[in-house]
C-alpha cells in the first residue's frame, strides 16, 4: 500500500468516538448499510469484531466479505484502517 | 464431516481449529460462522488426498483381519475404540436413527456389492476392478479372497486399484456426506455393544454371515462360492463365539446397519485419525517400529495394550501411504520419463555417430562409390598423375592419403586453436617429407608420383572431404588459398610449388572450441567487468563528491550561524555596533585549526557578505588600525530606520505638490505624533529625539514642546529655512502607525503659546539615550 486515502487518514487521526461505521476506510454507503443491518452500526462495533478476531487479517477480511459482501480491496482498506487506528490508540 | 462441523459446540470447534494450527480466538455469535467456514475449508482440503489413503489403509486392515482370523478381534476392537473416541466428538451431531433409515433405502443388491468393494476388492491386488464389473465377477473375487486369506502378507503390496474401485462405486454408501449419517445411525447400537471391549468385533463378525448368506444365496448359485462363504462363515463365527442374543437381535432387525459399521471403519474420517495419531505420537513417540513388529508378532492375541496397538496401526498407515504415493508417482510419470530417456538416447546416438563418422577417413576412401579414373592405355588423352591414375598405383595414393590425413587434421586443429605458426594445409613439399619419413624410404620420386595421383583422386572425389588448393602467396604467413577444381590447373600450379591439400570442411576440436569460447567469453567478461568497475567508480566518486559538497556547505552554514551568534552577542555585550572580522574568527576557530579552516572561513565570510542582511561589512579604524568589521544591523539599533519612523506616505521633496517653495515662518505645528491617552512622562523627550533623529543634523531646532490636549507638537527652528527642512523631513511620514501632518505656524502665535521659548541657540541635540540607539522600550 503506497499511500492511504483521505478517509483512512481522517479515521486514524483521532479517537473514533461515536463515529458511524461508514467513517471506516473501505466502507461506503452500501457496505455501511449492510453492516448496519447486520448490527454493526458504529465503527467501534467493527473494531470489536476486529479485536475478537485477534487482528487476523485473513479472518477479518473473510468476515467482512461474509457480512457485507465487501470486495478484497474494501476489506483490505478496512483492515488496514482499523489496524493503524489500533497501532495509534490502543 | 461438514455437517459435523456445523453442529459442533464452541469448545469442540476451538479444539479443532487449534489442531489445524489456527490461532485460538473467542467463538462468538458473529465469529462462529466464519470459523466454521474456515474449518470446513481446511478439512475439505486436507481430507481429499488423505481420505483415500485412509480408506485404503483401513480397508487393508480389514482385509488382514479377514485373512488371519484372530487378528480381526484386535482390529475391530481398535475400531470400536476409534468409534468411541469419535462419538465423543460427534455427540452433538447425532441424528435420529429413524430418519436415517428412512433416508437410505437399502438396495439389496447394493449392499453385497458394496461389501465387496470394501473388503473384497482389496484382495484383488493383481486385478483392478471397476465397479460395474463387480457384480459379475463376484465368483472369482470370492475365490481370490480366500486366497488372500491364506496369504496375509499380501496386503502390504496393495495396488492403487482398490482406491480406484472404491471411488468409482456408485453405491450410495460411498458418498462422504452420507457416511456421517450412517455413523450416527450406528451409534446407538455400538453404545450398547461396547461395554465388553470386543463386542463391536462380534457385531462385525456376526453381520457378515447374515449379510452374506442373504445376499449370496440370492444372487449366486455357484457352489464354489458357497463353499468359500461357508469357510468364511466358519472362520468368523468361530471368532464370534460370544455374541449374546442381544446383539444378534440388533442386527437381524436391520440388515444394513452392520454394513454401515464397516463403512464407518472403512471411511473413518481423516480428522479423527489424524488427531489420534497426533496424540499417540505425542504421548508415545519412541519405537513405532517395534510396536509395529509387536503387532505382527502378536497377531491374534487380544491382550495388547491399547496404545501401542494404535501406534502400530497408525504406523502401517504411514507405510502404506508412502509406498502408495511412490508407486503413484512412478505410474503417473512413466510415460514422460520414458520419453525423456528416449530423446536423450537419440541425441546421444546422433552425437556418437557424428564423432565416429568424422574421423573415419579410411572407410570413406575405401568406399566403392569413389570415382577413380584409371589410366587406360588405349585412351590418348590419359596422362598418369594428371588426369588419371595407373591402376596399380591407386592403393599407394590412398595409403598416402591415409598417412597424411591425421597430420592434416591435427594441423588444422592446431590452426583453429589459434597456435602461432601453423597453417591449415599441407604443401606438396611437406607431404613428401611426411610420406618419406613415414615410409622410411628416400624415394622422393615415388612419393611425388603418389602425390600426383592423390591429387587427381581428390579432385575427382570431392566427398572425401579434402581439397586441393592453390596458395595465393607462398612465402607469407597469410592463409589465403582458392580451391582448384580441375586437374589442368594443378599441373600449372605444381611447377610454382603453390599446391597444397586441406580439409574442405575443417572441424574445430571440441576442447579447442571450448577454450576459444572461454577465451571470448572471458575477454568480454573482463571488458564488462572493467566497464562495470569504471561505472561503479564513477558513481562512487560522484557520490563522494556530492557528500563532500554537502559536508562543506553544512560546515559553512554552521560557521555562518556561529559568526552571527558571536556578532549579535558581542555587539550587544560591548555596546559597540561592530566587531572586527578577525576577532570573530579568532573567537570561533582555535589556533591549530585556523589554517585548515581557512577555506570554510572565507566561504562563510563571503556568504555573510552576500546573504546576510543583519550584518554589514565595513572598514573601521579599531585602535588606530583600519580593519574590516561587521556591523550588527539589528532592527532597533538602526539610527535611520528606527521603529518609530515607518516610511513616507507621500512625496515631500522639491518639486512635488506638497512642497512649499518658500518656508514662511520658522515655527511648525505637527499633528498626530502621539495619542491623546499616551501618558508617557517622557513623551516630550521621546518626541524630541524622534524629530531630531529624523531631521538629523541638517537643521537647527531651538525649541520643541507638546500639547497633550490637542495632540500637537510645536517646533521652533532657528530660521524659516530650517523649518522647511523639518517640514520636508516629517510631513507625510508614518510615525508609530500614525500619519503625521506638519503645518507652518506664525511666529507671533507661537510666542503667544510659548512665551519663554528661546530665540537663539543653543540648538537642541539628541539625548544620550537615543544616540546610543538604546531607547528604553517605548
Amino acid at each position: 500500500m503506497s499511500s492511504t486515502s483521505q478517509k483512512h487518514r481522517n479515521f486514524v487521526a483521532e479517537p473514533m468516538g461515536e463515529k458511524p461505521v461508514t467513517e471506516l476506510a473501505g466502507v461506503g454507503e452500501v457496505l455501511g448499510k449492510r453492516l448496519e443491518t447486520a448490527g454493526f452500526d458504529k465503527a467501534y462495533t467493527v473494531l470489536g469484531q476486529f479485536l475478537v478476531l485477534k487482528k487476523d487479517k485473513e479472518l477479518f477480511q473473510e468476515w467482512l466479505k461474509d457480512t457485507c459482501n465487501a470486495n478484497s480491496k474494501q476489506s483490505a482498506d478496512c483492515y488496514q484502517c482499523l489496524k493503524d487506528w489500533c497501532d495509534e490508540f490502543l | 464431516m461438514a455437517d459435523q462441523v456445523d453442529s459442533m459446540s464452541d469448545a469442540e470447534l476451538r479444539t479443532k481449529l487449534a489442531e489445524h494450527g489456527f490461532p485460538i480466538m473467542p467463538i462468538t455469535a458473529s465469529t462462529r460462522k466464519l470459523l466454521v467456514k474456515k474449518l470446513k475449508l481446511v478439512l475439505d482440503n486436507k481430507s481429499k488426498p488423505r481420505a483415500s489413503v485412509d480408506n485404503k489403509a483401513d480397508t487393508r486392515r480389514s482385509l488382514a483381519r479377514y485373512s488371519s482370523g484372530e487378528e480381526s478381534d484386535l482390529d475391530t476392537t481398535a475400531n470400536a475404540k476409534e468409534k468411541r473416541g469419535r462419538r465423543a466428538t460427534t455427540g452433538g451431531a447425532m441424528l435420529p436413527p429413524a430418519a436415517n433409515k428412512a433416508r437410505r433405502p437399502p438396495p439389496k443388491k447394493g449392499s453385497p456389492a458394496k461389501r465387496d468393494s470394501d473388503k473384497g476388492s482389496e484382495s484383488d491386488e493383481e486385478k483392478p476392478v471397476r465397479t460395474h464389473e463387480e457384480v459379475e465377477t463376484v465368483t472369482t473375487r470370492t475365490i481370490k479372497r480366500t486366497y488372500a486369506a491364506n496369504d496375509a502378507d499380501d496386503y502390504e503390496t496393495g495396488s492403487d486399484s482398490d482406491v480406484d474401485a472404491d471411488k468409482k462405486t456408485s453405491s450410495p454408501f460411498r458418498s462422504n456426506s452420507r457416511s456421517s449419517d450412517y455413523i450416527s445411525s450406528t451409534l446407538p447400537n455400538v453404545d450398547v455393544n461396547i461395554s465388553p471391549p470386543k463386542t463391536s468385533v462380534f457385531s462385525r463378525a456376526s453381520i457378515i454371515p447374515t449379510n452374506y448368506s442373504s445376499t449370496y444365496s440370492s444372487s449366486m448359485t455357484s457352489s464354489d462360492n458357497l463353499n468359500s462363504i461357508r469357510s468364511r462363515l466358519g472362520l468368523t463365527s468361530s471368532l464370534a463365539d460370544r455374541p449374546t442374543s442381544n446383539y444378534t437381535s440388533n442386527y437381524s432387525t436391520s440388515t444394513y446397519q452392520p454394513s454401515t459399521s464397516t463403512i464407518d471403519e472403512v471411511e473413518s474420517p481423516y480428522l479423527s485419525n489424524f488427531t489420534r495419531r497426533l496424540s499417540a505420537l505425542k504421548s508415545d513417540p519412541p519405537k513405532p517400529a517395534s510396536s509395529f513388529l509387536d503387532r505382527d508378532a502378536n497377531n491374534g492375541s487380544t491382550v495388547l495394550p491399547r496404545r501401542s496397538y494404535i501406534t502400530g496401526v497408525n504406523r502401517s498407515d504411514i507405510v502404506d501411504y508412502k509406498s502408495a504415493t511412490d508407486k503413484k508417482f512412478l505410474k503417473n510419470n512413466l510415460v514422460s520419463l520414458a520419453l525423456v530417456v528416449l530423446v536423450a538416447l537419440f541425441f546421444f546416438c546422433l552425437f556418437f555417430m557424428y564423432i565416429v563418422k568424422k574421423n573415419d577417413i579410411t572407410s570413406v576412401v575405401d568406399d566403392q562409390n569413389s570415382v577413380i579414373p584409371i589410366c587406360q592405355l588405349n585412351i590418348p588423352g590419359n596422362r598418369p598423375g594428371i588426369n588419371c591414375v595407373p591402376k596399380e598405383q591407386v592403393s599407394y595414393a590412398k595409403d598416402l592419403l591415409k598417412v597424411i590425413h591425421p597430420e592434416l587434421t591435427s594441423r588444422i586443429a592446431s590452426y583453429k586453436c589459434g597456435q602461432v605458426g601453423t597453417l591449415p594445409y599441407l604443401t606438396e613439399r611437406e607431404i613428401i617429407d611426411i610420406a618419406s619419413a613415414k615410409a622410411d624410404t628416400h624415394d622422393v620420386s615415388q612419393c611425388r608420383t603418389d602425390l600426383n595421383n592423390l591429387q587427381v583422386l581428390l579432385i575427382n572425389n570431392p566427398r572425401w572431404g579434402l581439397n586441393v588448393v592453390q596458395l595465393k602467396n607462398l612465402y607469407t604467413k597469410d592463409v589465403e588459398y582458392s580451391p582448384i577444381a580441375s586437374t589442368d590447373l594443378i599441373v600449372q600450379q605444381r611447377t610454382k610449388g603453390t599446391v597444397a591439400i586441406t580439409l574442405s570442411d575443417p572441424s574445430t576440436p571440441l576442447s579447442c572450441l571450448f577454450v576459444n569460447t572461454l577465451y571470448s567469453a572471458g575477454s568480454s567478461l573482463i571488458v564488462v567487468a572493467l566497464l562495470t568497475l569504471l561505472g561503479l567508480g564513477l558513481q562512487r566518486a560522484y557520490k563522494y563528491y556530492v557528500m563532500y559538497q554537502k559536508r562543506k556547505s553544512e560546515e559553512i552554514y554552521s560557521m555562518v550561524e556561529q559568526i552571527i551568534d558571536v556578532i549579535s552577542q558581542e555587539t550587544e555585550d560591548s555596546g559597540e555596533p561592530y566587531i572586527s572580522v578577525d576577532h570573530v574568527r579568532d573567537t570561533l576557530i582555535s589556533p591549530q585549526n585556523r589554517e585548515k579552516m581557512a577555506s570554510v572561513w572565507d566561504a562563510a565570510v563571503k556568504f555573510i557578505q552576500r546573504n546576510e542582511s543583519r550584518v554589514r561589512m565595513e572598514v573601521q579604524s579599531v585602535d588606530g588600525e583600519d580593519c574590516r568589521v561587521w556591523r550588527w544591523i539589528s532592527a532597533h539599533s538602526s539610527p535611520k530606520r528606527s521603529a518609530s519612523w515607518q516610511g513616507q506616505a507621500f512625496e515631500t521633496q522639491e518639486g512635488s505638490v506638497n512642497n512649499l517653495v518658500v518656508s514662511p515662518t520658522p515655527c511648525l505645528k505637527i499633528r498626530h505624533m502621539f495619542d491623546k491617552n499616551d501618558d508617557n512622562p517622557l513623551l516630550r523627550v521621546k518626541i524630541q529625539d524622534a524629530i531630531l533623529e529624523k531631521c538629523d543634523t541638517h537643521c537647527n531646532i531651538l525649541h520643541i514642546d507638546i500639547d497633550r490636549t490637542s495632540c500637537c507638537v510645536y517646533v521652533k527652528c532657528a530660521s524659516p529655512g530650517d523649518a522647511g527642512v523639518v517640514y520636508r523631513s516629517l510631513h507625510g511620514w508614518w510615525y508609530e502607525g500614525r500619519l503625521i501632518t506638519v503645518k507652518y505656524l506664525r511666529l507671533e502665535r507661537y510666542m503667544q503659546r510659548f512665551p519663554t521659548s528661546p530665540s537663539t541657540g543653543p540648538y537642541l541635540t539628541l539625548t544620550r539615550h537615543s544616540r546610543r540607539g538604546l531607547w528604553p522600550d517605548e
Side-chain angles (χ1 to χ4, degrees):
Chain A
M1 191 173 281
S2 58
S3 69
T4 53
S5 66
Q6 184 60 44
K7 203 174 171 188
H8 176 104
R9 269 173 279 151
N10 285 347
F11 189 84
V12 173
E14 56 192 1
M16 66 176 75
E18 293 285 321
K19 281 182 184 178
V21 73
T22 46
E23 290 287 304
L24 282 164
V27 179
E29 269 181 42
V30 179
L31 293 194
K33 195 147 281 174
R34 283 184 205 150
L35 278 173
E36 268 170 44
T37 52
F40 295 89
D41 55 341
K42 299 282 193 220
Y44 58 74
T45 55
V46 180
L47 174 70
Q49 184 69 11
F50 174 78
L51 294 178
V52 161
L53 292 172
K54 299 209 165 177
K55 302 186 191 175
D56 185 295
K57 178 165 188 176
E58 196 190 343
L59 283 175
F60 181 74
Q61 286 190 252
E62 190 90 355
W63 173 79
L64 206 62
K65 237 171 262 182
D66 283 353
T67 313
C68 63
N69 209 9
N71 65 29
S72 57
K73 189 197 176 302
Q74 290 163 335
S75 56
D77 281 350
C78 189
Y79 168 80
Q80 197 60 40
C81 180
L82 285 172
K83 185 163 186 308
D84 289 351
W85 189 92
C86 284
D87 291 345
E88 184 77 14
F89 294 107
L90 208 60
Chain B
M1 259 341 285
D3 301 346
Q4 231 176 307
V5 174
D6 271 337
S7 48
M8 274 182 186
S9 73
D10 287 354
E12 282 166 2
L13 196 61
R14 197 172 302 126
T15 333
K16 293 281 172 209
L17 281 170
E19 276 168 11
H20 291 285
F22 273 92
I24 298 169
M25 49 185 62
I27 296 176
T28 66
S30 54
T31 56
R32 185 186 162 85
K33 209 169 113 193
L34 179 69
L35 293 176
V36 163
K37 193 174 150 197
K38 216 70 196 163
L39 182 58
K40 271 185 197 168
L41 202 72
V42 172
L43 288 179
D44 277 357
N45 281 346
K46 284 195 182 171
S47 65
K48 264 171 200 155
R50 284 283 314 175
S52 60
V53 175
D54 273 15
N55 273 350
K56 201 200 298 181
D58 276 357
T59 43
R60 287 232 180 87
R61 252 187 285 132
S62 70
L63 169 68
R65 244 176 268 141
Y66 263 79
S67 35
S68 60
E70 300 97 346
E71 201 199 341
S72 63
D73 276 12
L74 292 174
D75 276 326
T76 37
T77 320
N79 276 331
K81 282 167 188 163
E82 282 173 21
K83 244 186 280 175
R84 212 180 330 169
R86 172 111 79 86
R87 194 183 50 254
T89 61
T90 59
M94 261 195 241
L95 297 174
N100 288 308
K101 274 181 212 166
R103 218 195 277 175
R104 198 182 107 251
K108 267 294 173 196
K109 194 70 185 170
S111 56
K114 164 72 186 66
R115 183 161 294 283
D116 271 343
S117 64
D118 280 347
K119 299 194 204 94
S121 64
E122 272 66 53
S123 59
D124 319 324
E125 261 94 5
E126 294 82 24
K127 189 177 73 117
V129 182
R130 302 290 172 271
T131 319
H132 60 269
E133 293 170 351
E134 267 177 19
V135 181
E136 287 90 82
T137 56
V138 165
T139 325
T140 46
R141 211 177 309 121
T142 15
I143 291 163
K144 285 227 173 200
R145 198 188 301 139
T146 47
Y147 154 76
N150 296 333
D151 194 354
D153 293 344
D154 265 1
Y155 84 93
E156 200 52 57
T157 64
S159 71
D160 303 324
S161 59
D162 43 10
V163 177
D164 291 352
D166 278 356
K167 292 222 157 165
K168 279 170 190 159
T169 41
S170 54
S171 152
F173 292 75
R174 278 288 145 208
S175 71
N176 266 338
S177 60
R178 286 232 173 167
S179 67
S180 62
D181 291 349
Y182 303 150
I183 293 159
S184 52
S185 76
T186 57
L187 285 174
N189 294 330
V190 182
D191 249 347
V192 182
N193 293 343
I194 28 161
S195 37
K198 286 185 210 161
T199 43
S200 69
V201 178
F202 303 142
S203 72
R204 254 182 125 258
S206 55
I207 310 149
I208 293 151
T210 51
N211 253 343
Y212 272 79
S213 52
S214 61
T215 52
Y216 279 101
S217 57
S218 63
S219 59
M220 288 172 215
T221 50
S222 161
S223 61
D224 242 19
N225 268 331
L226 280 177
N227 281 343
S228 66
I229 293 163
R230 291 276 177 255
S231 66
R232 181 172 288 279
L233 285 181
L235 201 80
T236 46
S237 57
S238 69
L239 288 171
D241 49 356
R242 275 185 288 169
T244 62
S245 60
N246 198 5
Y247 308 137
T248 42
S249 70
N250 254 348
Y251 295 119
S252 55
T253 49
S254 59
T255 43
Y256 47 86
Q257 267 185 8
S259 66
T260 56
S261 79
T262 44
I263 289 154
D264 177 29
E265 287 154 14
V266 167
E267 300 200 341
S268 96
Y270 150 73
L271 182 61
S272 55
N273 252 351
F274 172 76
T275 51
R276 230 173 295 117
R277 180 182 304 162
L278 202 70
S279 57
L281 286 179
K282 257 186 213 159
S283 57
D284 193 7
K287 297 168 282 174
S290 70
S291 60
F292 186 52
L293 281 177
D294 251 5
R295 184 197 169 214
D296 277 349
N298 294 327
N299 234 359
S301 95
T302 50
V303 280
L304 264 174
R306 174 184 176 178
R307 180 177 288 165
S308 71
Y309 181 66
I310 287 172
T311 10
V313 171
N314 290 333
R315 190 66 193 165
S316 73
D317 275 2
I318 295 164
V319 171
D320 281 355
Y321 177 59
K322 273 188 183 161
S323 63
T325 44
D326 282 356
K327 276 176 190 161
K328 227 173 193 168
F329 177 79
L330 264 182
K331 194 183 171 192
N332 291 343
N333 296 306
L334 194 64
V335 176
S336 42
L337 279 177
L339 270 177
V340 168
V341 168
L342 272 179
V343 168
L345 266 177
F346 173 74
F347 279 109
F348 182 74
C349 288
L350 219 61
F351 179 71
F352 188 71
M353 282 163 71
Y354 176 77
I355 295 286
V356 166
K357 180 184 158 272
K358 266 310 219 192
N359 295 332
D360 196 10
I361 184 72
T362 333
S363 65
V364 176
V365 171
D366 290 339
D367 192 2
Q368 293 303 314
N369 296 332
S370 308
V371 183
I372 298 172
I374 302 292
C375 283
Q376 286 161 331
L377 292 174
N378 49 359
I379 300 173
N382 276 1
R383 286 171 294 167
I386 293 169
N387 56 6
C388 70
V389 183
K391 190 169 188 180
E392 65 277 4
Q393 289 182 0
V394 169
S395 61
Y396 295 133
K398 283 184 178 176
D399 287 344
L400 178 64
L401 173 61
K402 284 168 199 168
V403 168
I404 65 166
H405 190 267
E407 173 69 20
L408 191 56
T409 313
S410 69
R411 218 173 234 244
I412 287 178
S414 57
Y415 170 73
K416 286 269 181 183
C417 288
Q419 283 182 19
V420 186
T422 54
L423 296 168
Y425 51 76
L426 282 172
T427 59
E428 286 188 320
R429 192 183 302 276
E430 285 164 337
I431 291 170
I432 289 169
D433 286 349
I434 291 165
S436 55
K438 279 270 165 93
D440 269 341
T441 59
H442 301 284
D443 189 359
V444 177
S445 65
Q446 178 59 42
C447 290
R448 181 84 223 173
T449 324
D450 288 343
L451 178 58
N452 291 346
N453 292 332
L454 176 60
Q455 284 166 351
V456 172
L457 287 179
L458 288 181
I459 285 181
N460 280 302
N461 296 288
R463 51 182 289 275
W464 285 7
L466 281 88
N467 277 349
V468 181
V469 296
Q470 172 202 345
L471 301 178
K472 290 274 167 62
N473 32 12
L474 187 57
Y475 300 106
T476 60
K477 289 294 176 191
D478 294 338
V479 273
E480 281 182 42
Y481 51 75
S482 53
I484 301 173
S486 77
T487 47
D488 298 332
L489 273 174
I490 295 182
V491 179
Q492 288 173 19
Q493 298 296 328
R494 230 176 241 168
T495 52
K496 290 194 238 166
T498 56
V499 177
I501 294 178
T502 184
L503 285 180
S504 55
D505 53 344
S507 65
T508 320
L510 220 64
S511 61
C512 197
L513 206 64
F514 183 66
V515 170
N516 279 350
T517 317
L518 268 189
Y519 267 124
S520 57
S523 59
S524 52
L525 211 68
I526 287 170
V527 168
V528 167
L530 278 178
L531 282 177
T532 318
L533 275 180
L534 196 70
L536 280 178
L538 278 176
Q539 195 203 5
R540 183 66 58 84
Y542 178 70
K543 259 188 185 168
Y544 182 78
Y545 175 72
V546 168
M547 286 269 288
Y548 175 79
Q549 289 280 0
K550 202 175 163 192
R551 215 175 49 228
K552 199 89 182 172
S553 62
E554 270 170 14
E555 270 178 18
I556 290 171
Y557 288 139
S558 76
M559 179 62 77
V560 166
E561 276 168 25
Q562 286 175 13
I563 289 170
I564 290 172
D565 278 354
V566 167
I567 295 172
S568 63
Q569 202 63 42
E570 290 282 317
T571 47
E572 252 174 54
D573 287 354
S574 69
E576 288 287 324
Y578 50 80
I579 182 167
S580 165
V581 172
D582 291 339
H583 178 67
V584 173
R585 185 196 64 198
D586 298 350
T587 319
L588 286 176
I589 307 173
S590 54
Q592 60 265 36
N593 284 336
R594 268 171 216 161
E595 290 290 321
K596 215 162 60 185
M597 303 279 282
S599 64
V600 177
W601 175 257
D602 289 344
V605 168
K606 257 183 204 157
F607 183 87
I608 287 176
Q609 214 164 348
R610 260 181 291 133
N611 299 325
E612 185 53 63
S613 65
R614 293 166 296 176
V615 175
R616 191 172 63 208
M617 181 171 280
E618 48 195 45
V619 176
Q620 291 275 346
S621 92
V622 178
D623 297 335
E625 190 184 348
D626 281 349
C627 64
R628 295 186 304 162
V629 295
W630 275 314
R631 184 183 285 276
W632 182 245
I633 315 167
S634 63
H636 61 270
S637 71
S638 161
K640 281 282 178 197
R641 294 180 61 87
S642 64
S644 321
W645 297 102
Q646 291 161 320
Q648 203 165 7
F650 46 86
E651 197 64 43
T652 52
Q653 293 309 305
E654 279 184 48
S656 75
V657 245
N658 298 310
N659 185 31
L660 296 180
V661 183
V662 183
S663 317
T665 67
C667 301
L668 297 164
K669 180 180 171 186
I670 306 171
R671 289 180 189 276
H672 309 312
M673 266 196 93
F674 56 93
D675 255 337
K676 203 172 223 169
N677 42 14
D678 192 345
D679 47 11
N680 187 353
L682 289 173
L683 188 61
R684 204 190 68 83
V685 180
K686 184 188 153 196
I687 298 280
Q688 181 182 327
D689 281 344
I691 291 169
L692 287 175
E693 183 193 312
K694 185 78 180 72
C695 303
D696 219 352
T697 50
H698 308 302
C699 61
N700 306 315
I701 297 171
L702 290 170
H703 177 248
I704 292 178
D705 208 340
I706 59 171
D707 179 10
R708 283 183 189 262
T709 51
S710 60
C711 294
C712 287
V713 179
Y714 296 91
V715 178
K716 187 181 183 185
C717 298
S719 66
D722 288 330
V725 171
V726 173
Y727 176 87
R728 276 190 292 276
S729 301
L730 300 183
H731 186 56
W733 275 78
W734 290 98
Y735 177 76
E736 289 184 345
R738 289 179 294 274
L739 188 60
I740 293 171
T741 52
V742 186
K743 281 183 176 174
Y744 287 101
L745 193 67
R746 272 184 280 169
L747 185 60
E748 48 273 29
R749 297 296 288 265
Y750 193 91
M751 294 309 287
Q752 225 172 357
R753 191 177 283 270
F754 303 106
T756 56
S757 61
S759 52
T760 52
Y763 308 124
L764 292 176
T765 52
L766 284 171
T767 54
R768 198 172 148 268
H769 278 302
S770 89
R771 189 181 293 141
R772 285 183 53 187
L774 288 172
W775 266 98
D777 209 10
E778 56 263 64

